[in-house]
Structure formats: structure tokens, C-alpha cells
């Protein structure tokens, strides 16, 4: 296999792996977030982990393919190296994911609390929102006049 064929094979595998990853993202889109994200990380690691095949030539191959082919045809001893590479990259990926989720979790809780406080303030204000006026749920509130008794020409949306 020439260098050009090697690079062409990796390019074809990369495109196919990204296609499979996109399909997996679509298949897991309906799941609960804290289950969906680790499954996506696991499949990304399985598809994108390389392992060395020939140390003399510095040639790599997908670890999942090497493991499957070595176990299926019972040839070579690269299955153990590929399985170790998969395990190592999985531990690293899940460690990074846990760090990311640990940083993201308190930030999202703070944002959710701020939104709830804004919603409570909006409800306490008594003035209907534009959505309520359009849907007809603000019949009791006359929003055509402001606090000074002046006529308003439009209702300002709240952000």
C-alpha cells in the first residue's frame, strides 16, 4: 500500500465514521440528555480511535476494526493493543466529559433560577405579554393605556 492509498483509505474511513456519528446523533436525539451525551461520547471514541498496526512503518488503523478482525479471523496479536487503546481513550474522553458536565451543571442551574425569577417578576407585574394579548388571554387587562393614562400605540415585547 502506497502512502497515497493509505491517506485515501483514512479519508474514506473518516467520512464514513462521521456519517455514522451523525446517524447516531439523530438516533439518540429523543433520549434523556444525561443518557444521550455519554452514549454519543462512547460511539465517537469507538469510531475515531486509531491504533498502531505496524510500528516499523508508523501505520495506524481504526481500533474497533483491528479488534473485530483479529477476533473474527483469529490472526495476529493486535487485538489486545487495540482494546487497550480503546479503553485508554474511553477513560480520557469520559473524564473530559465529566469535567465539562461538572462545569456546565451549576451554570445551567443559575440560568434556570434567573429565568424563573424573571418569570415571577413578569407575572407579578400584572401587565400582559404580547403573546397573552395575541392569544386573547389578557381580556381583563386594558393594555391600551400606560401608567400615566396616555394611550399607547403598540405593546412592547418583553425580553
Amino acid at each position: 500500500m502506497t502512502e497515497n492509498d493509505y491517506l485515501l483509505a483514512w479519508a474514506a474511513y473518516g467520512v464514513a465514521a462521521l456519517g455514522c456519528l451523525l446517524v447516531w446523533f439523530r438516533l439518540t436525539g429523543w433520549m434523556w440528555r444525561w443518557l444521550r451525551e455519554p452514549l454519543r461520547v462512547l460511539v465517537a471514541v469507538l469510531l475515531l480511535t486509531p491504533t498502531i498496526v505496524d510500528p516499523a512503518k508508523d501505520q495506524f488503523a481504526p481500533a474497533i476494526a483491528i479488534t473485530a478482525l483479529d477476533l473474527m479471523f483469529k490472526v495476529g496479536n493486535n487485538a489486545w493493543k487495540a482494546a487497550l487503546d480503546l479503553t485508554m481513550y474511553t477513560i480520557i474522553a469520559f473524564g473530559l466529559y465529566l469535567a465539562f458536565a461538572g462545569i456546565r451543571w451549576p451554570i445551567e442551574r443559575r440560568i434556570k433560577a434567573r429565568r424563573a425569577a424573571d418569570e415571577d417578576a413578569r407575572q407579578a407585574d400584572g401587565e400582559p405579554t404580547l403573546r397573552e394579548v395575541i392569544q386573547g388571554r389578557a381580556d381583563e387587562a386594558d393594555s391600551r393605556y400606560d401608567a400615566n393614562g396616555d394611550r399607547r400605540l403598540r405593546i412592547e415585547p418583553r425580553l
Side-chain angles (χ1 to χ4, degrees), residues 71-84:
L71 291 177
M72 190 182 319
F73 297 121
K74 296 181 174 78
V75 293
N77 58 354
N78 291 330
W80 287 109
K81 287 191 284 186
L84 289 175

Side-chain angles (χ1 to χ4, degrees), residues 51 66-67 70-71 76-87:
T51 189
I66 294 298
T67 304
D70 277 2
L71 291 177
N77 58 354
N78 291 330
W80 287 109
K81 287 191 284 186
L84 289 175
D85 285 343
L86 279 171
T87 305

Side-chain angles (χ1 to χ4, degrees), residues 56-145:
K57 294 182 182 178
D58 290 331
Q59 289 187 342
F60 291 88
I64 193 74
I66 294 298
T67 304
L69 291 174
D70 277 2
L71 291 177
M72 190 182 319
F73 297 121
K74 296 181 174 78
V75 293
N77 58 354
N78 291 330
W80 287 109
K81 287 191 284 186
L84 289 175
D85 285 343
L86 279 171
T87 305
M88 179 184 64
Y89 285 118
T90 302
I91 291 171
I92 291 170
F94 275 113
L96 290 173
Y97 170 71
L98 288 174
F100 173 73
I103 292 169
R104 181 182 63 186
W105 187 51
I107 294 170
E108 287 178 347
R109 288 185 57 186
R110 195 172 321 133
I111 289 171
K112 190 182 289 185
R114 186 178 303 145
R115 284 185 187 155
D118 289 345
E119 185 67 30
D120 290 343
R122 189 177 308 131
Q123 295 294 333
D125 193 15
E127 186 177 337
T129 62
L130 181 60
R131 176 178 289 158
E132 291 170 342
V133 171
I134 290 173
Q135 292 177 348
R137 291 188 298 210
D139 294 334
E140 69 277 353
D142 189 7
S143 61
R144 293 177 291 176
Y145 298 98

